[in-house]
Amino acid sequence: MEPVIEVKSLRKTYKKRKTKELIQAVSDVTFSVNRGEIVGLLGPNGAGKTTTIKMICGLLIPDSGTITINGQNNQKKRLKSLRHISAVLEGNRNLYWRLTVRENLEYFAGNRGESKKDVANRIDELLVKFHLKDKEKELVNRLSRGMQQKLAIAVAMLAESDVILLDEPTLGLDVETGYEVRELLREIVQEYDRTIIISTHDMDVVQDLCDRTIIVNKGKIVTDDKVENLLRLFEVRSYTISLSALLSEKQQILLDQKFPDYKYTPDTIGSKLEIDLAKSEEIYDLFDILKMNMTPVESIDRGTINFEQIFMKIVKGEQQNVLVQSS
Amino acid sequence: MSWFNLLKANLRKEYLEMKRYLPNTIAMVLTFYILFIGMFFGIQIIGDPTTQDINIQFTIVNYIFWFFAMMTVNAIGWQITNEAMRGTLEQLSMSPMGIWKIMLMRLIASTVINFIMIIALLYLSMFTSGQWLNIDVGTILPILILTIISMFGLGFIIAGLSIILKQVQAFLQILQFILAGLTFVPLSVAPFLAFFPFVKGVDLVRAVMIEGVTFTQIPMVDFLILGFNAIFYFVIGLLFFFYCERFAMNKGLLAHY
């Protein structure tokens, strides 16, 4: 696959205004994005997601490292590289609220040097696609937040760039509109063959939409893998075991030593043991401990894990070793 | 062609926003007129009767120019501050045309629209005062174009400052008075001001409109000074704007929210 974006050894440091303390916002970040891919950029607040996005957009100059967009260095050929990308950075704030839906689209097209006439058909198509046709003459400040968000994405689409960067596209949207935006993004990729990078806190967006996720924490990439790989990786090693007897003190000490994060809910009718295994072979150690007292096992359930839990585990560094091995 | 499309888009936006913020536009025109009436009657009541006519004519030209400079130069600063807070400045900065071209087109667009308004206000002022000035378009136009180019240079400096300073509003308030000083003070009082942006232009327009000076009567050196100022301030303004843009991109200042 041909990479559309190549980010190499990116670094950005900020100085805090009051304390003059240096903050490493992005540290040695390297990744690439292939054509037609949807990549999720995940991370807690202050992880460096927005800084990375803004450096790709050419809005922020990195201290070191390079960003290549469609083969063009975005520092050396900034304006040329901007032809290949568009972005929604602040959602509904990226619009002119006193202009109508259509006027906004026309104005942003004009700012890219295109005439109203040239973009008229494209605008009509996008208005239909984004269910905004009946609102085209409405002032933006009279639209709901969801509609404003859709319009902001439509503006980015109008540019016909190869890559669209979206910073928190579902932030502040209700469940229904959030779902609608996700569906729209899915259609954009399928129908228009665009490459999308989404920076988000919304795990549903990542799980639903993204082919690949890059998790950043404290300015560094913690993991870069396919969403399905991460789900599989964590799912197979998370177990809930129902026991029809209590565990002895000795068994609990051994579990503590072997699986320090295990969760035990004792009950005379049916105890529950929740355990995450670092390696699949560890299940034999678990059986050995249970076998000691011939503890009766009622059932073993493979844990279902959602992306939010995976994210928390990765960011907390609980699964660092596993990830290193998996990569 | 892309330049022309850029200009058209910005002209349309300026016009639409002026229309949508109609109460603001009306308030601005009314403020202008009320202040003018105040000055006009002030001169009539307490001014020297022997120089009354000439004083009123001076007031009209100076006041119109001050208003024009304020709307062109100051407005770009307010616009950028608003855009940075709104979040649209980052979108503009991502245009492959380059933000400086967008700003230039904004300046041209707002100048064209303000100019139409200024012409109406000029005739309203002349009608109110009964003082009809010499509107020699052929002579005024070249002076005005060169003067406006130097104003754009100043506009770029203000635009650059507005990008990097979050609290530029206080400076913009002060700037109104600096612009008043530059337009109201005659060159005979401070000849060195000829090399300040647009001062020479205002002086020449005063000479044409009040004293009836014609194109051929204006010394070549005055046009050279005008031309020098236009190029100098435009280039300085643009370079300063590039510097501010780069500074803002280094420090992450394109969004003020």
Side-chain angles (χ1 to χ4, degrees):
Chain A
M1 275 261 210
E2 177 197 358
V4 183
I5 292 184
E6 282 184 288
V7 174
K8 276 184 196 157
S9 313
L10 212 58
R11 280 175 190 271
K12 184 74 191 174
T13 308
Y14 288 115
K15 198 185 268 180
K16 270 193 178 175
R17 276 203 179 169
K18 284 179 186 168
T19 58
K20 302 285 175 204
E21 184 194 343
L22 287 175
I23 305 289
Q24 188 87 49
V26 171
S27 173
D28 207 22
V29 164
T30 300
F31 65 91
S32 63
V33 180
N34 293 328
R35 194 171 296 278
E37 237 187 334
I38 311 187
V39 174
L41 201 56
L42 269 180
N45 285 335
K49 304 184 297 288
T50 303
T51 305
T52 306
I53 290 265
K54 287 192 177 178
M55 285 193 279
I56 296 172
C57 291
L59 296 171
L60 206 52
I61 300 170
D63 294 340
S64 63
T66 55
I67 299 165
T68 315
I69 301 163
N70 253 357
Q72 273 164 342
N73 184 315
N74 87 334
Q75 290 305 308
K76 288 178 185 160
K77 292 181 177 174
R78 183 173 176 269
L79 296 183
K80 273 189 179 172
S81 72
L82 283 176
R83 292 205 175 276
H84 303 289
I85 55 170
S86 53
V88 180
L89 298 172
E90 288 294 329
N92 58 346
R93 291 167 60 98
N94 283 169
L95 303 165
Y96 290 94
W97 287 33
R98 288 289 181 130
L99 296 185
T100 66
V101 168
R102 196 177 188 95
E103 285 162 2
N104 261 285
L105 287 159
E106 286 168 348
Y107 179 63
F108 282 108
N111 271 339
R112 291 179 83 95
E114 293 183 276
S115 76
K116 247 171 79 173
K117 213 172 152 189
D118 292 343
V119 292
N121 290 340
R122 248 150 68 203
I123 288 178
D124 285 332
E125 189 191 330
L126 284 169
L127 288 173
V128 173
K129 179 103 222 147
F130 284 73
H131 309 294
L132 289 167
K133 186 70 189 162
D134 56 332
K135 301 279 179 194
E136 68 175 321
K137 287 180 181 160
E138 197 88 55
L139 290 182
V140 169
N141 64 356
R142 290 189 192 144
L143 298 178
S144 67
R145 188 173 177 146
M147 283 185 185
Q148 289 170 345
Q149 188 73 16
K150 285 196 287 183
L151 176 60
I153 299 171
V155 168
M157 282 287 297
L158 187 65
E160 290 202 314
S161 53
D162 302 314
V163 184
I164 301 176
L165 293 113
L166 304 164
D167 197 9
E168 299 288 359
T170 54
L171 187 72
L173 301 182
D174 58 53
V175 179
E176 200 185 333
T177 321
Y179 178 77
E180 205 185 334
V181 168
R182 287 207 300 270
E183 285 305 303
L184 266 173
L185 294 175
R186 198 194 310 276
E187 283 172 31
I188 289 169
V189 174
Q190 284 166 358
E191 289 176 34
Y192 297 88
D193 191 32
R194 304 285 170 93
T195 306
I196 298 185
I197 300 178
I198 307 173
S199 151
T200 184
H201 281 104
D202 190 341
M203 304 298 158
D204 289 340
V205 169
V206 178
Q207 202 164 348
D208 269 18
L209 280 179
C210 299
D211 305 314
R212 187 155 66 94
T213 183
I214 296 169
I215 299 180
V216 284
N217 194 25
K218 293 176 185 163
K220 289 182 177 172
I221 292 183
V222 182
T223 188
D224 178 350
D225 206 343
K226 285 189 173 177
V227 173
E228 58 189 51
N229 284 355
L230 289 173
L231 283 167
R232 202 180 307 129
L233 177 75
F234 282 86
E235 191 180 37
V236 292
R237 288 172 191 154
S238 185
Y239 293 92
T240 302
I241 298 147
S242 299
L243 307 166
S244 50
L246 293 169
L247 291 174
S248 70
E249 216 169 283
K250 196 180 172 192
Q251 281 176 306
Q252 288 183 49
I253 291 167
L254 284 169
L255 281 170
D256 251 340
Q257 286 168 357
K258 191 73 194 163
F259 311 103
D261 293 323
Y262 84 101
K263 238 195 225 170
Y264 175 53
T265 319
D267 195 297
T268 43
I269 303 165
S271 306
K272 204 166 84 178
L273 187 60
E274 286 168 80
I275 211 151
D276 289 337
L277 305 180
K279 295 175 189 169
S280 51
E281 308 90 87
E282 283 182 346
I283 195 127
Y284 300 113
D285 298 332
L286 174 67
F287 288 151
D288 286 343
I289 295 169
L290 295 174
K291 206 177 161 188
M292 273 175 54
N293 286 8
M294 298 302 279
T295 308
V297 175
E298 287 276 304
S299 64
I300 299 174
D301 294 313
R302 206 166 71 178
T304 50
I305 192 162
N306 62 27
F307 205 79
E308 191 166 350
Q309 288 165 303
I310 293 175
F311 172 72
M312 291 308 293
K313 280 171 190 286
I314 292 171
V315 168
K316 278 183 181 172
E318 287 177 5
Q319 298 290 336
Q320 284 282 23
N321 295 334
V322 182
L323 289 164
V324 168
Q325 285 163 13
S326 81
S327 63
Chain B
M1 198 62 188
S2 56
W3 279 80
F4 183 59
N5 291 334
L6 187 62
L7 176 64
K8 270 200 305 190
N10 281 285
L11 254 173
R12 190 158 174 256
K13 180 187 165 282
E14 288 294 316
Y15 166 72
L16 288 170
E17 287 201 328
M18 193 186 76
K19 212 170 74 172
R20 304 270 154 79
Y21 290 96
L22 196 60
N24 287 13
T25 312
I26 293 170
M28 190 177 72
V29 172
L30 276 178
T31 309
F32 171 91
Y33 191 62
I34 291 165
L35 275 173
F36 173 74
I37 294 287
M39 283 192 280
F40 173 61
F41 284 112
I43 294 166
Q44 281 205 323
I45 294 163
I46 57 166
D48 179 359
T50 55
T51 56
Q52 204 175 72
D53 284 357
I54 201 84
N55 282 345
I56 290 169
Q57 287 170 2
F58 261 92
T59 303
I60 295 173
V61 179
N62 291 343
Y63 188 47
I64 285 278
F65 247 97
W66 174 55
F67 202 67
F68 185 50
M70 221 164 56
M71 288 207 291
T72 308
V73 177
N74 229 8
I76 194 84
W78 289 107
Q79 267 193 22
I80 287 194
T81 308
N82 284 338
E83 300 237 7
M85 286 196 288
R86 247 190 330 210
T88 43
L89 187 63
E90 286 186 321
Q91 282 298 316
L92 299 184
S93 308
M94 282 190 66
S95 162
M97 297 288 289
I99 192 164
W100 77 271
K101 284 181 198 158
I102 297 175
M103 287 302 142
L104 179 62
M105 294 307 144
R106 282 267 179 99
L107 280 165
I108 294 173
S110 67
T111 303
V112 169
I113 286 171
N114 291 336
F115 195 70
I116 295 166
M117 219 148 56
I118 284 290
I119 297 289
L121 287 170
L122 174 68
Y123 276 91
L124 186 66
S125 306
M126 289 194 294
F127 176 75
T128 310
S129 61
Q131 297 289 336
W132 295 95
L133 299 162
N134 172 38
I135 313 287
D136 177 358
V137 180
T139 310
I140 292 172
L141 208 61
I143 299 170
L144 208 57
I145 289 170
L146 289 171
T147 309
I148 286 171
I149 292 172
S150 68
M151 262 188 204
F152 284 179
L154 200 58
F156 269 120
I157 292 174
I158 302 303
L161 283 174
S162 305
I163 287 177
I164 60 171
L165 300 174
K166 284 189 182 183
Q167 305 296 332
V168 79
Q169 287 96 332
F171 173 73
L172 293 178
Q173 301 278 9
I174 298 166
L175 183 71
Q176 294 180 44
F177 300 104
I178 298 173
L179 293 176
L182 290 175
T183 44
F184 278 76
V185 176
L187 271 184
S188 53
V189 175
F192 66 93
L193 285 178
F195 291 98
F196 275 58
F198 68 82
V199 179
K200 185 75 188 170
V202 182
D203 197 61
L204 288 175
V205 170
R206 267 196 301 252
V208 176
M209 290 174 87
I210 299 168
E211 293 153 29
V213 171
T214 59
F215 190 84
T216 48
Q217 288 172 312
I218 297 171
M220 195 57 183
V221 68
D222 283 350
F223 275 111
L224 285 175
I225 292 174
L226 267 185
F228 171 79
N229 282 352
I231 295 166
F232 179 77
Y233 285 106
F234 189 81
V235 171
I236 290 289
L238 202 55
L239 290 176
F240 184 75
F241 183 80
F242 286 147
Y243 168 78
C244 291
E245 188 191 3
R246 192 87 189 154
F247 184 86
M249 287 200 294
N250 257 317
K251 303 277 178 192
L253 300 174
L254 287 171
H256 285 185
Y257 37 83

